[in-house]
Amino acid sequence: QVQLLESGPGLVKPSETLSLTCTVSGGSISRDYWTWIRQAPGKGLEWMGFISNSATTNYSPSLKSRLTISLDTSKNQFSLRLTSVTAADTAVYYCARGGSSYLHYFLDVWGRGTTVTVSS
Amino acid sequence: DIQMTQSPSSLSASVGDTVTITCRASQSVMSFLNWYQQKPGQTPKLLIFAASSLQSGVPSRFDGSGSGTEFTLTISSLQPEDFATYYCQQTYSTWTFGQGTKVEMK
């Protein structure tokens, strides 16, 4: 079955760029939507954005100016790039698959999450 | 943005109880509404998609209903493993989650 695994630095300095990669195994990235979600300590889930199999992106308006999601089909990976980070970007970052049924999308496969701390 | 508001934010219940969580959208999302369960330290798990379709492997005591702007998740005969936080999510337009509802043991 499809599995997702996030990777990237656990510590990022303020004002720098956070980069994370999600590796998809057990299935092809050439279908479905590929999504990033984050969860600040003690807080709820925040949808960040997704990239489709055709590389169309959709971002949360609150992050749109700082966020880029990209796809590398040759490596079966998708990535997140968040610029100008602050302490407010400290969170567990999850990647997830946006599966679908009759045009209804849902997050049916999740990575384990990776903790990112923004601190000098 | 479409805002999703869950109520209550938390509730206390006992094993065997029936629990209902409401999710309201700031505008119609038709039936593009999903429910997730998250236990402490764990990854969220999809329970319900398209407002009322039960994800494979999810017990039938979980039931979703609603359309438009008002949705409910009902858990019948609450089990010990159901104490968790539940989130709704709309996928009609630029996806958003509700703030979560924590179901605690009374």
Side-chain angles (χ1 to χ4, degrees), chain B residues 59-92:
Chain B
S60 59
R61 64 180 179 272
F62 291 92
D63 181 66
S65 64
S67 67
T69 62
E70 187 153 335
F71 302 86
T72 59
L73 173 69
T74 301
I75 311 171
S76 303
S77 187
L78 197 68
Q79 297 299 298
E81 60 268 30
D82 300 336
F83 293 99
T85 300
Y86 294 85
Y87 295 91
C88 62
Q89 178 211 20
Q90 64 83 16
T91 57
Y92 176 74

Side-chain angles (χ1 to χ4, degrees), chain B residues 18-23 30-36 46-55 58-68 70-76 86-89:
Chain B
T18 293
V19 165
T20 299
I21 299 168
T22 298
C23 178
M30 299 179 68
S31 62
F32 292 88
L33 192 286
N34 307 319
W35 290 98
Y36 301 86
L46 176 68
L47 298 175
I48 302 280
F49 65 93
S52 59
S53 296
L54 194 67
Q55 171 69 345
V58 174
S60 59
R61 64 180 179 272
F62 291 92
D63 181 66
S65 64
S67 67
E70 187 153 335
F71 302 86
T72 59
L73 173 69
T74 301
I75 311 171
S76 303
Y86 294 85
Y87 295 91
C88 62
Q89 178 211 20

Side-chain angles (χ1 to χ4, degrees), chain A residues 33 35 37 39 43-47 50 58-61 94 98 101 103-108 110-112, chain B residues 1 31-34 36 38 42-46 49-51 55 87 89 91 93-99:
Chain A
Y33 284 10
T35 308
I37 303 102
Q39 187 168 34
K43 302 297 185 182
L45 301 171
E46 179 185 11
W47 177 79
F50 66 66
N58 192 341
Y59 300 136
S60 168
Y94 296 100
S101 174
L103 298 182
H104 286 270
Y105 284 89
F106 41 80
L107 301 170
D108 60 344
W110 293 65
R112 286 182 287 181
Chain B
D1 301 19
S31 62
F32 292 88
L33 192 286
N34 307 319
Y36 301 86
Q38 187 180 32
Q42 295 189 20
T43 297
K45 172 186 173 183
L46 176 68
F49 65 93
Q55 171 69 345
Y87 295 91
Q89 178 211 20
T91 57
S93 171
T94 308
W95 302 358
T96 46
F97 286 99
Q99 83 278 15

